[in-house]
Amino acid sequence: MHILIIGAGIGGLCLGQALKKAGISFAIYERNVDSASWLEGYRIHVNPVGSQSLHGCLPETLWQAFLAGTADVKEGFGFLTEQLEELVHIDESLMVGAHPLAQHGQYAMSRILLRKILLVGLEDHLYFNKRFERYAFVEQTGVHAFFADGTQAWGDVLVGADGANSVVRKQLLPQAQRVETDAIALAGRTRLTASSRQWIPPVLQAHMNVVMAKRKFFFFSAPFDHQQKLRHANPQLRQAMDKAGLSWTDYIKANEDYVLWSFITHRNELATVSQTEDLRPIVVDKMAGWHPQLKQLVNQADESSLTRLAIKTMLPIQPWVTSRVTMLGDAVHNMPPLYGMGANMAMHDALILQQKLIESSKGSPLLGALSEYEQIMLTTGFKAVGLAVGYTHQAISNNSLMRSINRTWFRLCTKFSLLKQLTFGNTWKGKLGDRTT
């Protein structure tokens, strides 16, 4: 069996690692010219869905490199008012459940470093500067991939892991649509330095937070901080990186400390904002009456980090007739970022697909195995999409009564632990179920 993977993003590389671990032949085709072309991005939140998937896909050396490369543990998640008053704090053990195994935890990870880890050992399977154009079935025996440079590749199965603007999806499911929501995000990062650590509020350095404003705005912040690890864990960290074939220099470059923030509102609020404008004064203007240190966090953001993003999602896709072409991740269930599940679900898909291909390699009918994968992938993927869309609507809602009720509810959760348990227990684990073990 030989698998063609189109796209070397997190999902495609994770599948490559999983297939290599299983001894299944594969090749990955990436449109970028080399491995450095798309080594960019900010902090990624890997929750238990992603952690279990990574653990299943990676060899032990790379799993240990992943654990070593994560940022300092930041305890839990907080909801704040725009005056930095704490509404409720959810302990990490409540969010993910008590479990001693590392693969059931949640982690902050540099997207750059995660990609570097996923690239290790795949050099002989990766083909760059390969812009995929189309596929064609070879009778009943396989599938051909055609690339813009005139070359072709043959495989038993082709997997579209080519992201939100998937060319594979456009051919396989031309009716599938990706649409804009009513939300727009302005985001940036503010460096954690000796100076900024003095004025950035401790709660914003301590863990992820959502500022629940009284009206129509959503503000999210997440620290990415390696200070303690760099000070206390160098020998273990270096050993894990060395075993994975990663340099200490790569680790340091990928892990500058900062607070990532995102301001989200209805697109009508920012209809006249262009891609070239400095976003900082625009965000601060919308934050009238907010705590001055929240405004300062925005004002002190690196100009080069500022991003304007129209938030899109994928409309639900009905099951299709299974063939030797399938998809994973954003190529099929692209979702808004507010639930933090995009990369996690791509890694989840990779592990489930690996498991089904292993079953096929042992004698199960190939199309039956792929059909089972697609059923799981569509069910879990679009469940996550639905939750993300719901959170997006809540984030930009101008229903002041509902926001007031939510704030009151969170204050009650602080006073009554049972209420907090019922509201937030197993936040990451319980809503999607566990299909990775």
Side-chain angles (χ1 to χ4, degrees), residues 119-132:
L119 283 165
V120 172
L122 299 186
E123 297 83 1
D124 294 339
H125 302 268
L126 266 165
Y127 299 88
F128 291 100
N129 203 21
K130 293 291 184 180
R131 185 174 292 275
F132 174 79

Side-chain angles (χ1 to χ4, degrees), residues 15 159-160 320 322 325-329 332-333 345-346 348-357 359 366-380:
L15 178 59
V159 181
W320 58 88
T322 298
V325 176
T326 192
M327 295 177 290
L328 63 74
V332 61
H333 47 63
M345 292 310 300
H348 175 271
D349 292 347
L351 181 59
I352 300 300
L353 182 53
Q354 178 233 39
Q355 293 170 346
K356 294 303 175 182
L357 290 173
E359 291 177 11
L366 175 61
L367 293 185
L370 291 176
S371 177
E372 290 175 5
Y373 158 71
E374 288 167 354
Q375 290 175 32
I376 296 171
M377 177 269 292
L378 287 173
T379 299
T380 56

Side-chain angles (χ1 to χ4, degrees), residues 37-63:
S37 299
W38 60 180
L39 288 177
E40 58 186 19
Y42 299 148
R43 171 194 193 279
I44 182 172
H45 180 75
V46 181
N47 64 33
V49 172
S51 299
Q52 293 172 56
S53 301
L54 271 177
H55 180 260
C57 290
L58 296 180
E60 184 63 19
T61 53
L62 295 187
W63 170 247

Side-chain angles (χ1 to χ4, degrees), residues 43-185:
R43 171 194 193 279
I44 182 172
H45 180 75
V46 181
N47 64 33
V49 172
S51 299
Q52 293 172 56
S53 301
L54 271 177
H55 180 260
C57 290
L58 296 180
E60 184 63 19
T61 53
L62 295 187
W63 170 247
Q64 292 301 324
F66 164 77
L67 292 177
T70 57
D72 292 337
V73 174
K74 297 298 180 181
E75 177 63 26
F77 195 100
F79 285 88
L80 310 170
T81 71
E82 60 269 49
Q83 295 303 323
L84 292 178
E85 173 197 357
E86 184 175 85
L87 294 168
V88 65
H89 176 261
I90 307 110
D91 294 336
E92 183 172 349
S93 60
L94 183 60
M95 295 174 68
V96 304
H99 204 290
L101 299 179
Q103 61 264 36
H104 292 269
Q106 58 178 341
Y107 303 96
M109 183 68 171
S110 160
R111 189 177 292 266
I112 297 172
L113 185 59
L114 179 57
R115 281 175 169 155
K116 284 182 176 290
I117 290 171
L118 291 174
L119 283 165
V120 172
L122 299 186
E123 297 83 1
D124 294 339
H125 302 268
L126 266 165
Y127 299 88
F128 291 100
N129 203 21
K130 293 291 184 180
R131 185 174 292 275
F132 174 79
E133 289 192 330
R134 64 184 178 88
Y135 63 81
F137 295 109
V138 185
E139 297 179 346
Q140 301 298 314
T141 62
V143 61
H144 261 132
F146 297 85
F147 301 96
D149 62 2
T151 59
Q152 303 177 24
W154 178 92
D156 294 283
V157 176
L158 183 144
V159 181
D162 48 342
N165 296 311
S166 171
V167 179
V168 175
R169 184 185 71 240
K170 289 175 183 176
Q171 182 176 353
L172 180 65
L173 301 172
Q175 75 279 12
Q177 295 185 32
R178 186 168 173 250
V179 298
E180 288 191 2
T181 67
D182 288 330
I184 190 167

Side-chain angles (χ1 to χ4, degrees), residues 308-322:
R308 177 184 185 273
L309 176 68
I311 296 178
K312 297 182 179 182
T313 188
M314 184 74 73
L315 295 179
I317 297 174
Q318 296 301 312
W320 58 88
V321 177
T322 298

